[in-house]
Amino acid sequence: MIRHLNKLRWVVLTIVFLMLIALPFIHLYQTYLAAHAYDLLAPAEKQVYDVMEMLTDPFVSDPEHDLDAIKGNTWSGTFFGFRLSDPLAVVSQSAAGLSLYWPFILTGLIPLVLTLLFGRFYCGWICPATFLYELNSNLAILLHKLGLHTGNRHLDLRFKYLVLAIGLILSAVTGAVLTATVYPPAIIGREIYYGVALSGYSHVVIGGFGAGAVFFISTLLFDLFVSRRGFCRYLCPGGALYSLLGHFRLFRIQRVVEDCNDCAKCNAVCEFGLDPLRDGFGMECNNCTACIAVCPTDALKFSVTIKDQAFMGPGHLGKAYKRSQESKVEAVKEQGKQT
Amino acid sequence: MKRRGFLTLAGRSIMVVLAATLPFGFARLMSPNVSADVRWRLRPPGALKDDDAFISACIGCGLCGEVCPPKCIQFYTHEGAKKVNTPYIDPAQKACILCDKCMEVCPTESLTVIPKKEIDMGIAQIDQSACYPWVDQGVCGACVVVCPLGERAIGFDFANFYKPVVRDGCVGCGQCVEVCPHPSLPIWIVERGSGTVAKHGAGKRHQWIR
């Protein structure tokens, strides 16, 4: 059962991403409804109206107001009356304003509790950038097969904490929420909105995609040609915050050494370059369950503990372990002969 | 040798810190501090009066724009330095209808719910040397008709049915700007303290009272 969590994760990621694309169109539809002037819409706008009407009709009776139930993006949004904000948004806004605004801080509470329980789960399960970054690493594999050079450099994992600290310091100094400009999920949520909804003002210079789109594309290129999933692992300020919060997370993936056969497929598949084979999960693990899905002997399981287990030695189904056992047995036999 | 070790360590740590500021510098480079005339850009209703405070409170989530029924709220997408991702309203393109949705949805302090009368996006000001009725070039009154606040915000000059006059109940929503048929836009939203209404005393009194 647990093996299928990775498929569930992809379903969740896809739903979140599709929602981010749908919400700007839903907003357009609502503006057309509010205008009460279907006949005055341009042909393309009529098309948007018709499609959105078809899609939302089964779920709402009064679309102009009922569709307000889900608004926003993963940076901050309302979800059936619940206001949810990214903990990074809360932290960096508090730094930028040098003050605590409790109504806003409370919106970050539910994600914060979930992060304390599940660690970096946001990075693996929800983040709309992860959806594109994982497709991007598949593209890297494809390019590699085609013979192009893709980068897989290793930097220091602690670098992102420095990025987070400097982001907060710069936010406090300049008085603007600067982390929002370099945090991919925030960028994607708002850029999709800009691209879809603001492009109607095409007769002006502004409108359409903004600076964030360029930044995000450059991070994709960084991942392709410098380091696989490098942005998430070494640069992302949000990832840094979640890693810190998830240091004592309750639910973590652990290796069951008795079932492990040392095949190392988990290490190969781990997007974050961790070392499940040698029990090296640490703060970086985002509970994405890709290693669980790939494990041929079901040796990776969720366990409820606040600390990773130490390296348990080679897997008991593996050759190294069997050899060591045989040599032990022989040693015992030899000892028996001698006495 | 010890000093050299210290210097290389210090140099390296400075390099690492500089490298960590690179993403922010990169993002800053792509949103240069050039923008259209800011006079044309009003903050949404209920915004913090001090623009620096507004910028530090706004997290750039875009929620205000996403609930706006007339879609009047737009964003600094790639300009304005630290203003980037903050909302604005350009009343010449599309004006605010004072529906309060953006104030209600904003998660931060930047837009807070306040009564309609206390909204202060600015105050309309009429250029009487260009407005059609004021220069006796015809009858209009579009701004008076469209105003959502009615008599207390804009009305006609004494004993005249066409010449519009702004009163101090105006909250600066900009509906009059959007509707004005004159190509040079003789009606515009200015800061409350600097409008002609303020100069004539009414607006100033209004400010003192608040």
Side-chain angles (χ1 to χ4, degrees), chain A residues 177-221:
Chain A
V177 186
L178 285 184
T179 44
T181 59
V182 300
Y183 183 50
I187 289 174
I188 286 184
R190 85 171 85 86
E191 289 298 328
I192 292 175
Y193 176 74
Y194 293 165
V196 172
L198 293 189
S199 54
Y201 296 103
S202 52
H203 57 286
V204 219
V205 183
I206 48 111
F209 291 110
V214 183
F215 187 90
F216 182 69
I217 289 168
S218 63
T219 63
L220 284 179
L221 293 177

Side-chain angles (χ1 to χ4, degrees), chain A residues 25 28-29 32-33 38 41-57:
Chain A
F25 282 107
L28 284 183
Y29 174 51
Y32 301 153
L33 282 169
Y38 181 78
L41 295 177
E45 292 174 332
K46 272 182 185 162
Q47 223 162 24
V48 170
Y49 184 104
D50 293 339
V51 171
M52 293 319 293
E53 186 179 30
M54 194 182 72
L55 289 177
T56 58
D57 196 44

Side-chain angles (χ1 to χ4, degrees), chain A residues 96-147:
Chain A
L98 293 175
S99 62
L100 301 176
Y101 182 65
W102 286 104
F104 178 49
I105 290 171
L106 290 178
T107 61
L109 200 63
I110 296 172
L112 176 74
V113 169
L114 289 175
T115 306
L116 289 175
L117 289 178
F118 295 100
R120 276 187 84 163
F121 85 102
Y122 174 86
C123 305
W125 284 73
I126 294 168
C127 176
T130 292
F131 181 77
L132 296 177
Y133 282 140
E134 294 210 0
L135 293 180
N136 192 44
S137 10
N138 291 352
L139 176 68
I141 293 167
L142 192 71
L143 289 183
H144 192 74
K145 275 182 186 161
L146 291 176

Side-chain angles (χ1 to χ4, degrees), chain B residues 94-106:
Chain B
K94 204 86 187 117
C96 174
I97 59 168
L98 300 177
C99 69
D100 297 359
K101 270 189 166 181
C102 50
M103 298 190 241
E104 281 157 16
V105 83
C106 180

